[in-house]
Amino acid sequence: MDIGQLSDKILNGDRRALARAITLVESGREDHRAQASELLGRLAGANRQALRIGLSGTPGVGKSTFIESFGMFLVQSGLRVAVLAVDPSSARSGGSILGDKTRMERLSRERNAFIRPSPSQSHLGGVARRTREAVALCEASGFDVILIETVGVGQSETVVAEMSDLFLLLLAPAGGDELQGVKRGIMEMADVILVNKADGDLKPVAIRTCADYAGALRLLRKRPQDPEGFPKAMTVSAVEEQGLAQAWDEMQTLIGWRRDNGHWDRRRADQACYWFDQEVRHALLARLETAQARSRMGELAAAVAQGEKSPSVAARDMLAELEQG
Ligand code: GDP
């Protein structure tokens, strides 16, 4: 594969080249990893930035309907939109959250939209790296907005928040005054909470739910990096395409403020450091996964089990052997 040519095509916004490049970064093959690194290195020079929006919500809350409506709204506003997904469950379930072709039918037909299903990977570290690299490819390709979708499972929100400039949490209208068991950590990550399905019979419930969340958000720690009134809760209807322009206005207000006050650059720098740290950790852990290391771990574990070595001595032996390669 001619990486120079591929790079030029991506910079020209060629979507097929972009899709090929994402396949390349998703590959685990050594030679592909090397090509991917070369490609990403070349493209970094272009220094293009998109607005990266993370989006989370439990299954059924309306994520794909929202992405379709909101994506169409952005495209109709003259923006180029890419949609990526982080779905750590895909390997287990055999499907992927963007894999279903019937999802986002209108958006997928748009010339200025690009939709990429989540790669099937068993561990989140692998998914995270590939998605992060796909984000970089989409940025180089000149997209204005990148939507990164995730389902609310385990650590995937953290992964998405750490690669987003802005984090949206999509919620459904809830009866009574219970806060749908949303974990505090996820609430704290959200910049804008969107209570979806604010239409028909559900509208009054959505409005009440939204007020409940607005109240809950006020109780969270004040964020010095954000203007007054954020994080914010709003209602939308993905189906009726209501509230999308207002939501976009609020996002732009928040992002404009962060750019003007240096928070945008700082957040990206912090994220880069976070990913550097994660990469080192994953690479170290990967060294334990080689056949040789595993068999040696087994031997040492047996020695520990039989009381021949203490756990700490065996651990030190193992680490010393790893260091020697
Ligand atoms: P996801 O699992 O989060 O991606 O959710 P989907 O987008 O697949 O939507 C789940 C269900 O909720 C579908 O039956 C949608 O038609 C419905 N839905 C999504 N958005 C809305 C909305 O704004 N209003 C109403 N009434 N239903 C919606």
Side-chain angles (χ1 to χ4, degrees):
M1 188 178 310
D2 185 333
I3 296 299
Q5 234 176 42
L6 188 61
S7 160
D8 289 345
K9 283 186 179 169
I10 290 171
L11 290 171
N12 281 328
D14 180 331
R15 283 187 305 175
R16 277 178 53 199
L18 174 62
R20 274 179 63 207
I22 295 180
T23 304
L24 183 66
V25 302
E26 284 173 359
S27 166
R29 261 174 53 181
E30 274 303 310
D31 56 332
H32 287 167
R33 287 302 316 152
Q35 288 179 321
S37 294
E38 187 192 336
L39 178 64
L40 290 163
R42 274 172 189 261
L43 294 172
N47 214 11
R48 289 182 178 159
Q49 284 189 338
L51 173 60
R52 308 171 183 173
I53 302 177
L55 172 75
S56 179
T58 48
V61 70
K63 289 181 299 301
S64 51
T65 314
F66 174 79
I67 291 174
E68 165 105 321
S69 300
F70 187 59
M72 287 301 293
F73 166 82
L74 295 175
V75 165
Q76 281 157 6
S77 310
L79 298 170
R80 294 186 74 215
V81 180
V83 182
L84 303 171
V86 171
D87 180 11
S89 64
S90 62
R92 244 172 301 143
S93 64
S96 63
I97 48 178
L98 288 174
D100 183 349
K101 286 279 188 299
T102 60
R103 296 178 89 212
M104 302 171 205
E105 233 175 88
R106 278 188 302 153
L107 192 60
S108 63
R109 283 198 300 268
E110 285 294 326
R111 226 167 34 87
N112 285 329
F114 177 85
I115 300 176
R116 181 77 178 194
S118 168
S120 288
Q121 291 284 328
S122 52
H123 61 98
L124 198 50
V127 179
R129 178 205 271 163
R130 284 159 186 77
T131 310
R132 206 155 32 81
E133 290 177 346
V135 166
L137 293 170
C138 290
E139 287 198 314
S141 188
F143 283 93
D144 301 295
V145 178
I146 303 175
L147 291 165
I148 312 163
E149 176 189 10
T150 189
V151 278
V153 284
Q155 291 296 301
S156 64
E157 272 107 354
T158 310
V159 165
V160 171
E162 287 290 349
M163 59 178 83
S164 304
D165 303 308
L166 193 126
F167 193 77
L168 303 179
L169 178 61
L170 210 59
L171 296 171
D177 54 3
E178 93 261 29
L179 293 185
Q180 297 179 49
V182 177
K183 290 193 208 76
R184 191 191 164 98
I186 298 169
M187 289 275 287
E188 280 177 339
M189 268 178 227
D191 294 306
V192 179
I193 284 181
L194 297 173
V195 180
N196 189 31
K197 310 193 183 183
D199 48 50
D201 291 349
L202 287 171
K203 192 165 181 172
V205 193
I207 291 171
R208 225 172 25 242
T209 307
C210 182
D212 288 344
Y213 279 101
L217 286 174
R218 277 193 294 274
L219 296 178
L220 293 177
R221 205 172 42 241
K222 174 95 187 77
R223 297 183 193 176
Q225 75 272 28
D226 288 342
E228 201 52 43
F230 284 93
K232 192 161 271 197
M234 313 176 65
T235 56
V236 290
S237 165
V239 163
E240 294 191 351
E241 304 183 10
Q242 294 294 318
L244 304 178
Q246 290 87 334
W248 178 233
D249 277 351
E250 297 291 356
M251 291 180 223
Q252 286 188 298
T253 300
L254 180 59
I255 286 303
W257 166 283
R258 286 187 182 165
R259 275 187 192 278
D260 292 347
N261 291 280
H263 296 302
W264 168 289
D265 288 336
R266 205 165 315 137
R267 180 169 166 135
R268 288 226 170 179
D270 287 348
Q271 288 178 342
C273 291
Y274 172 85
W275 290 114
F276 161 64
D277 184 89
Q278 291 288 308
E279 286 282 325
V280 172
R281 281 167 202 277
H282 284 130
L284 280 178
L285 285 177
R287 288 168 63 182
L288 281 178
E289 296 300 324
T290 62
Q292 194 192 351
R294 269 203 238 176
S295 117
R296 189 65 187 126
M297 282 288 277
E299 287 167 17
L300 286 165
V304 170
Q306 280 159 18
E308 290 165 15
K309 276 183 197 278
S310 76
S312 50
V313 167
R316 220 177 304 144
D317 288 355
M318 186 67 211
L319 288 170
E321 285 175 34
L322 278 178
E323 260 165 45
Q324 283 157 19

